[in-house]
Amino acid sequence: MLKNKMIHVILTVFFVGLFHSTSFADVKFKDNVVRLSPNFGTGSSTEATTRILAPFLSESLPGNPKVIVEPIEGGGGTKLARNLLKERGDGHRAGVLAILHITASLGRPMPIALNKLKNVGSFAFPTIIMVRKNLGLNDLQDVINYKKEIIIAASKPNAPGVSPLRTWLIANNVNHRIVTGYAGQPACVAALQAGEVDVTPLNAQLFMPMRKTYEENGAIPLVQNGLLNPAGGPDLKVDIPGKSVMSIDESWKKFTPGTVDSNEYTTFRFIQKSFPMVMHWAMSPDTPDEYLQVWRKSFLALFKSDGFKKYLEKTNSPTPVVISGEQVDETVKSLDQAKNDKAIQSVVKRLKKKTL
Amino acid sequence: MEILAAAVNGLGLFLNLELILFMMLGICIGMILGLIPGLGGLIGLGLLLPFSYTMDATTAMAFLLGMFAVVTQTDTIPAILIGVPGTAAAQATVLDGNAMTKRGEAGRALSASYFASIWGASISVLIFTLSLPVLRSVVKLFAAPEYFLVSLLGLLMAGILSSASRIRGLSAAFIGLMITTVGIPERSDFSRYDFGFEYLFDGLKLVPVVLGLFAIPEVLELLIRRSTIVRDNSEEVAVETKAIRKGFMDTIKNFGLIVRCSIIGTTCGVIPGMGAGAAEWFAYGQAKMRDKDNTLGTGNVQGIVAPESSTAAMKPGGLLTTIALGIPGNPAMAIMMVAFIVLGIRPGSEMITDKLDVTYMFMWTLVIGNIVAALVCLLLQKQMVKICYLNPKILVPVVICFMTTGALLTTGDYGDIWVFLGAGVLGYFFKRYDWSRISLIIGMALGKIIEIYLFIAMDRYHLSFLWTRPISIIFEVLIVLILASGLVKLYKSKRKSELLKKESKGDFSYSNKAISSPVWWIGIVIGIISAMALYVAWDWEPDRGTFPVFVSAAILVLVTLHTIQGALFGISAVPDRSEDGIADAGRRKLLFIGYIALLVGLIAIIGVSYAMPVFLLLVMTYEKVSLKISIPLAVFFFLFIEYLLKTVLHINFYL
């Protein structure tokens, strides 16, 4: 009797599933085309990374649709976010909202409800903080001992790439000044190579394949922004062959343990935790659920694909930290909560200033 | 000797059948992209990049560089023939190129532009070769202060040299700067002058402004005059081989100018953030500096060879820093850098030492690509030039469709159309009443660079960069010389205008009563607008407000000087006479506004793909053009937008 009942349940579930649910392969894309829209234009590292990933995404999506990279730039991502919020949302476009959530949590006013978007997933490569070779700075201990003002290049004072280092500099009263306005990380590196600045952040994905080139031109790694491991365990950082480059967290604990209980360290951990949101893929709030699920699965699958692994190997790139759509949902909530955290906000306020 | 051997080996690498075939394919694609206003090398690179992933590295680079090399060659064709500068790299060429076409010298103008491109690319490769041993040291001498000062020099050159009135020229250049203050600046999170329109968050783009500023007045003129583009049939017919030879000889005669402009182009390629637009206008400014007869802008071939050689030279220049230092100087080179990474080519010293032959192979591709494209264009020239003899009843609606599509290709947003039309109105008044459009565009091309590098220089060095950096001091001296020459010319031109007033010769006009001169009133309107802009920006925080406050104050000072000068001494200007003697010019202007309103309305109601063909059919029927002509044209436009732009190039119009 029980056996019959179980068979009945199994058969019911099977047929209901067969006729009423949409399987991964059933999702079809009109004209077999999907669009991936980065929030920065042609020539930016966001757009470049999106272009690199497009063919691997195509392989991961059902029907292998053509992935068109179509930047929607403007307002540092505000325009793309607005477009996503108001578009019909048929599951054919995902936006790449690079660093938008992080900058918002670092005090940038955001006139849009980012938390309404449907999250596909996010990923990030650690950031390498580069320093001018002839300054003789090899780690953060050297920075403490450095007598002169440290000059940092960035696009904005509270840019996410440079903010983790600045929380440490502020906590330890290291004399520094930030020169802003550079259009992207390659421009910052050019300024470093020209001797205009002392320190600048650079995405590890760009740094690793170009490491020798940069070193030849006088730019070497000083420290790196490690990423909180979503699976727990030690922080994730880039393994640079032949050179031990500590993460800021490791350096902080090793060289300046006295400031680990400061508001600056709390803020640093908060930024570190939100850092996987650097390359945040999101869709319109109206996106049909079956499409969202397909995008989420394909997003995770693309990073595991053989093609992507071969690409990382060929270009000597580090493996990125990838978080699922569900993990992004959680991170977004924690970012929203942090906006009301007085300890964090007091440091965020200082990060917006250009000098110590 | 080693360098020479690498250059020869590079040529050897290039001589590979598969590589040449892919380069030819790239060239074909690049030529088509260049011909279509609004498209360009960037779109092409983005489009072709994924196809290159699976190719062998050198073949892939030949494919991409072949395409990239020729876009700026074919983009001169619509600029010269119909006055529509499709890409940033053809904006300066349109002025003299189209004027030559009107004189029946389209063939000569086109031929000069092709040969100037070939020379530009070749000279740039030579510069590359010569600079190899000192490249790194030279590049490191340039930083934010030098970028700022070189851009300021370009702006002042344009402002002072491009107009009959130095004050109006400088005012226009600062208006161009002012336009670039719209949107969110690099250093701030807050937008400027966006009036709540999110389209303006990212500022005003160069392409719709240039199309409006230059192309709309040209089309309006065509409609008013109701004549073919070529007005003077007594000139040699452009399709003859004589015209091709003449164009070639023009480049030989102006070889010194080409060399100077190639150096400018190569330098612009090396400087981060300098676009093709800036390279073009810098070169144009250089030609203008030596234009003693003041004929540049009226169909002087120097106005073609200067910008064309400069933009062609920019590519090897840009490639140079990308390859040697891993620093992409512009967006196109940033895509190239992605290609390098994906294809496993590591930029750096290896590329200019051990793998110099590979680098030379890239350079050969740029030069040979230009030569092949020039040959193809010269073969097709006879057919292309026929456009100039088309009946304006057919040409005007077609060009309106092309211009609007070109503007829309910027972001695909309605904002593109409004910016294009707004710039058209400004262009009409500026052209008619002798306010320099060239200065305005140079200001716009350089505005962002000037603002960014000025503030970086101030943040980093405070004012000490003015006296501590040798290269900066050289640029400062040049700036002082330019300003001094401006003052001298101001004095001379005052005397000249008095002389011309007495003799009543030529186009020079002089109005004793400023109050009756629209030229004077335009200055007052600009003054009022800049005062409002100053008032709005006054309370903004420094990162957001300092630059617009400074620029609007400068405009206010300049137009106040213009107003006082006009009131005291009268107004001198070189007016536009194209509407003179045409009885119903006013009615035709209204007709033009009606056409534009019809097209905009149709786009709003039925979308771009259908609006263009319906517009063509309606207007051509009204103009009594045979259906045998209008229907194929309407079908062509539908296919062009629906299949080429939307399906093949995947361009989205958000309308």
Side-chain angles (χ1 to χ4, degrees):
Chain A
M1 188 68 183
L2 188 70
K3 198 177 169 187
N4 284 346
K5 216 172 184 177
M6 274 181 71
I7 289 170
H8 180 77
V9 169
I10 289 166
L11 282 176
T12 308
V13 169
F14 175 76
F15 280 105
V16 167
L18 191 68
F19 294 107
H20 293 277
S21 75
T22 314
S23 75
F24 186 79
D26 285 340
V27 168
K28 297 268 187 295
F29 295 101
K30 195 185 162 202
D31 301 330
N32 214 27
V33 168
V34 297
R35 289 168 198 275
L36 205 49
S37 294
N39 61 346
F40 293 111
T42 309
S44 66
S45 58
T46 306
E47 199 252 10
T49 307
T50 309
R51 280 192 192 284
I52 289 169
L53 291 180
F56 306 120
L57 175 68
S58 170
E59 283 169 22
S60 305
L61 284 166
N64 305 128
K66 186 167 186 188
V67 180
I68 308 297
V69 176
E70 187 183 80
I72 300 180
E73 52 185 312
T78 315
K79 191 170 172 183
L80 170 64
R82 281 199 179 178
N83 273 23
L84 288 173
L85 280 170
K86 66 184 185 195
E87 81 174 13
R88 191 161 39 91
D90 55 4
H92 285 63
R93 179 199 299 281
V96 182
L97 296 157
I99 69 168
L100 205 61
H101 264 101
I102 308 178
T103 41
S105 62
L106 286 176
R108 179 179 158 187
M110 200 62 60
I112 20 173
L114 284 171
N115 52 9
K116 283 188 181 166
L117 294 168
K118 294 251 171 98
N119 299 310
V120 175
S122 189
F123 70 96
F125 292 95
T127 305
I128 308 294
I129 306 290
M130 296 169 79
V131 65
R132 225 155 21 102
K133 202 176 188 174
N134 56 8
L135 293 181
L137 304 177
N138 291 309
D139 55 35
L140 291 187
Q141 181 64 55
D142 293 338
V143 174
I144 290 180
N145 298 333
Y146 191 65
K147 299 286 178 231
K148 293 181 194 164
E149 183 184 45
I150 305 264
I151 297 170
I152 306 169
S155 52
K156 290 192 167 81
N158 53 348
V162 83
S163 291
L165 175 72
R166 288 198 70 211
T167 52
W168 178 82
L169 293 171
I170 291 169
N172 294 286
N173 286 318
V174 178
N175 186 16
H176 73 277
R177 177 156 52 106
I178 187 158
V179 179
T180 60
Y182 292 102
Q185 292 184 339
C188 292
V189 177
L192 187 80
Q193 291 181 356
E196 189 163 88
V197 295
D198 304 325
V199 170
T200 192
L202 182 67
N203 183 335
Q205 190 204 6
L206 261 182
F207 169 78
M208 289 303 283
M210 304 284 290
R211 182 188 158 198
K212 279 189 183 169
T213 311
Y214 293 135
E215 286 185 357
E216 280 165 5
N217 290 291
I220 55 165
L222 169 74
V223 68
Q224 56 180 306
N225 291 346
L227 295 167
L228 279 190
N229 192 337
D235 291 353
L236 297 168
K237 55 178 198 147
V238 186
D239 182 21
I240 301 171
K243 186 165 173 118
S244 167
V245 179
M246 295 172 93
S247 71
I248 295 175
D249 193 33
E250 287 168 334
S251 299
W252 200 317
K253 287 171 182 163
K254 183 176 175 187
F255 299 127
T256 52
T259 52
V260 164
D261 56 354
S262 61
N263 285 348
E264 285 80 11
Y265 185 75
T266 310
T267 311
F268 163 74
R269 291 296 279 180
F270 155 69
I271 299 171
Q272 204 184 5
K273 189 181 172 191
S274 64
F275 216 75
M277 295 289 287
V278 164
M279 289 284 181
H280 170 208
W281 290 22
M283 300 177 87
S284 156
D286 298 337
T287 306
D289 200 49
E290 65 269 26
Y291 278 90
L292 180 68
Q293 296 313 325
V294 161
W295 273 89
R296 282 182 163 186
K297 275 185 194 168
S298 305
F299 174 80
L300 294 175
L302 90 86
F303 291 100
K304 290 175 186 157
S305 68
D306 289 340
F308 183 69
K309 283 177 188 161
K310 271 184 200 161
Y311 160 77
L312 292 180
E313 212 171 289
K314 186 177 171 187
T315 59
N316 198 20
S317 288
T319 309
V321 171
V322 182
I323 57 173
S324 66
E326 291 81 0
Q327 285 170 311
V328 171
D329 293 341
E330 290 303 312
T331 313
V332 169
K333 277 181 201 161
S334 71
L335 286 172
D336 286 342
Q337 285 162 5
K339 283 176 195 165
N340 300 320
D341 186 320
K342 283 183 184 164
I344 291 176
Q345 288 311 313
S346 69
V347 180
V348 165
K349 215 172 179 181
R350 296 185 71 188
L351 282 175
K352 287 170 124 180
K353 293 181 181 165
K354 289 180 186 168
T355 55
L356 181 66
Chain B
M1 206 60 201
E2 278 173 19
I3 294 176
L4 196 66
V8 175
N9 287 343
L11 194 60
L13 281 176
F14 179 83
L15 296 173
N16 166 314
L17 186 64
E18 190 190 348
L19 188 144
I20 291 173
L21 283 175
F22 272 103
M23 183 194 75
M24 297 300 277
L25 180 63
I27 288 173
C28 292
I29 296 169
M31 288 178 74
I32 294 168
L33 291 176
L35 272 174
I36 303 168
L39 297 181
L42 266 186
I43 288 181
L45 283 174
L47 188 78
L48 300 190
L49 187 65
F51 295 102
S52 66
Y53 289 178
T54 50
M55 292 179 192
D56 139 70
T58 47
T59 311
M61 288 314 293
F63 179 48
L64 295 173
L65 288 173
M67 186 284 298
F68 188 55
V70 302
V71 171
T72 51
Q73 242 188 24
T74 48
D75 69 354
T76 54
I77 295 169
I80 288 174
L81 296 184
I82 52 176
V84 178
T87 71
Q91 292 158 3
T93 314
V94 75
L95 299 171
D96 292 274
N98 195 239
M100 284 180 76
T101 297
K102 286 173 186 170
R103 280 207 312 254
E105 292 186 300
R108 179 184 165 194
L110 286 169
S111 161
S113 80
Y114 305 144
F115 287 111
S117 291
I118 294 173
W119 288 125
S122 310
I123 292 167
S124 185
V125 172
L126 191 66
I127 295 170
F128 165 80
T129 306
L130 296 175
S131 66
L132 269 179
V134 289
L135 179 68
R136 265 187 220 168
S137 335
V138 170
V139 169
K140 284 179 183 175
L141 287 175
F142 285 79
E146 288 73 29
Y147 299 154
F148 160 66
L149 287 167
V150 77
S151 307
L152 184 66
L153 178 68
L155 182 85
L156 294 175
M157 257 165 61
I160 289 174
L161 304 169
S162 70
S163 174
S165 156
R166 269 75 196 158
I167 295 179
R168 280 203 300 279
L170 270 181
S171 305
F174 276 88
I175 293 167
L177 284 190
M178 194 69 206
I179 291 172
T180 64
T181 64
V182 174
I184 300 178
E186 288 289 341
R187 299 157 54 87
S188 171
D189 291 329
F190 297 98
S191 186
R192 303 186 290 212
Y193 307 119
D194 64 23
F195 307 103
F197 295 107
E198 71 184 55
Y199 174 84
L200 295 176
F201 285 180
D202 210 34
L204 295 170
K205 303 282 183 190
L206 205 56
V207 168
V209 174
V210 172
L211 278 170
L213 214 54
F214 292 100
I216 285 186
E218 289 306 321
V219 182
L220 177 62
E221 195 185 316
L222 263 182
L223 187 70
I224 289 173
R225 296 179 65 91
R226 296 271 181 190
S227 64
T228 57
I229 295 175
V230 177
R231 290 178 197 162
D232 188 354
N233 290 321
S234 64
E235 289 286 332
E236 51 142 321
V237 178
V239 295
E240 299 296 327
T241 42
K242 206 170 86 181
I244 295 171
R245 205 180 322 125
K246 236 178 171 180
F248 174 71
M249 288 314 292
D250 284 328
T251 61
I252 300 295
K253 280 179 205 157
N254 292 294
F255 203 72
L257 177 68
I258 288 177
V259 172
R260 286 195 301 277
C261 293
S262 303
I263 295 170
I264 290 173
T266 311
T267 314
C268 286
V270 171
I271 297 177
M274 245 351 139
E280 276 248 314
W281 291 113
F282 260 133
Y284 196 84
Q286 160 65 218
K288 188 81 188 171
M289 261 174 83
R290 291 166 185 255
D291 176 33
K292 287 178 185 150
D293 309 328
N294 211 19
T295 55
L296 219 65
T298 60
N300 182 338
V301 78
Q302 289 182 337
I304 297 171
V305 298
E308 286 306 312
S309 53
S310 178
T311 44
M314 204 183 152
K315 290 163 193 162
L319 201 58
L320 181 64
T321 41
T322 314
I323 283 182
L325 306 173
I327 305 290
N330 51 59
M333 283 304 129
I335 297 189
M336 280 294 176
M337 183 116 130
V338 175
F340 287 153
I341 293 173
V342 172
L343 296 167
I345 300 169
R346 187 180 70 79
S349 62
E350 208 178 49
M351 292 301 290
I352 51 175
T353 50
D354 296 350
K355 290 186 181 170
L356 187 58
D357 51 348
V358 178
T359 305
Y360 266 105
M361 191 226 91
F362 299 162
M363 296 294 172
W364 286 123
T365 310
L366 288 175
V367 175
I368 294 169
N370 269 297
I371 296 172
V372 172
L375 289 174
V376 175
C377 289
L378 289 172
L379 281 173
L380 298 173
Q381 188 151 297
K382 192 173 178 179
Q383 301 307 319
M384 289 190 295
V385 170
K386 284 181 181 168
I387 291 173
C388 314
Y389 298 91
L390 269 181
N391 187 333
K393 290 178 179 180
I394 300 167
L395 194 60
V396 167
V398 170
V399 176
I400 289 176
C401 286
F402 258 118
M403 288 189 313
T404 314
T405 313
L408 267 173
L409 285 170
T410 311
T411 66
D413 193 292
Y414 246 123
D416 293 337
I417 296 185
W418 300 127
V419 172
F420 163 64
L421 295 178
V425 174
L426 194 69
Y428 172 77
F429 284 108
F430 267 43
K431 183 186 177 200
R432 188 147 175 76
Y433 299 113
D434 194 29
W435 280 79
S436 172
R437 291 178 292 171
I438 301 174
S439 300
L440 188 145
I441 283 297
I442 299 183
M444 219 183 140
L446 296 173
K448 290 249 184 234
I449 304 170
I450 289 180
E451 179 177 6
I452 288 170
Y453 288 121
L454 167 65
F455 284 100
I456 290 176
M458 291 297 289
D459 265 5
R460 172 63 184 84
Y461 308 95
H462 306 299
L463 279 175
S464 71
F465 74 86
L466 292 172
W467 57 84
T468 54
R469 298 179 66 88
I471 306 282
S472 289
I473 294 170
I474 294 172
F475 287 130
E476 286 158 29
V477 170
L478 289 173
I479 287 170
V480 171
L481 287 176
I482 286 282
L483 287 173
S485 84
L487 285 173
V488 171
K489 282 187 181 171
L490 189 70
Y491 173 72
K492 281 185 182 169
S493 68
K494 209 177 148 196
R495 289 188 60 188
K496 188 181 171 189
S497 67
E498 280 167 7
L499 205 72
L500 285 162
K501 192 182 87 177
K502 279 180 196 165
E503 294 176 1
S504 302
K505 270 185 186 174
D507 270 348
F508 213 88
S509 89
Y510 179 86
S511 167
N512 217 359
K513 287 181 182 171
I515 202 158
S516 62
S517 167
V519 181
W520 190 71
W521 281 106
I522 287 176
I524 291 175
V525 172
I526 291 168
I528 293 169
I529 294 170
S530 56
M532 286 158 67
L534 178 64
Y535 175 76
V536 171
W538 193 257
D539 291 333
W540 289 344
E541 74 281 11
D543 277 348
R544 184 188 186 202
T546 308
F547 193 67
V549 164
F550 168 74
V551 175
S552 50
I555 299 172
L556 203 55
V557 169
L558 286 165
V559 292
T560 306
L561 278 175
H562 183 257
T563 308
I564 294 169
Q565 190 192 40
L568 294 177
F569 308 111
I571 291 282
S572 56
V574 183
D576 175 41
R577 304 268 187 222
S578 59
E579 292 176 22
D580 290 1
I582 298 170
D584 62 345
R587 193 188 68 82
R588 290 178 192 180
K589 273 187 238 174
L590 282 177
L591 185 66
F592 181 76
I593 294 169
Y595 285 169
I596 296 286
L598 175 67
L599 182 58
V600 174
L602 284 171
I603 290 172
I605 297 164
I606 53 177
V608 185
S609 306
Y610 296 98
M612 299 287 174
V614 171
F615 169 79
L616 282 174
L617 284 173
L618 289 174
V619 171
M620 286 191 181
T621 307
Y622 174 76
E623 295 277 4
K624 298 189 177 66
V625 175
S626 159
L627 285 175
K628 282 181 197 165
I629 295 171
S630 60
I631 289 176
L633 275 172
V635 172
F636 164 78
F637 252 96
F638 179 76
L639 296 176
F640 166 64
I641 294 171
E642 198 58 31
Y643 290 98
L644 181 65
L645 298 185
K646 286 188 171 177
T647 310
V648 178
L649 298 178
H650 300 287
I651 287 165
N652 236 355
F653 296 102
Y654 303 96
L655 302 167

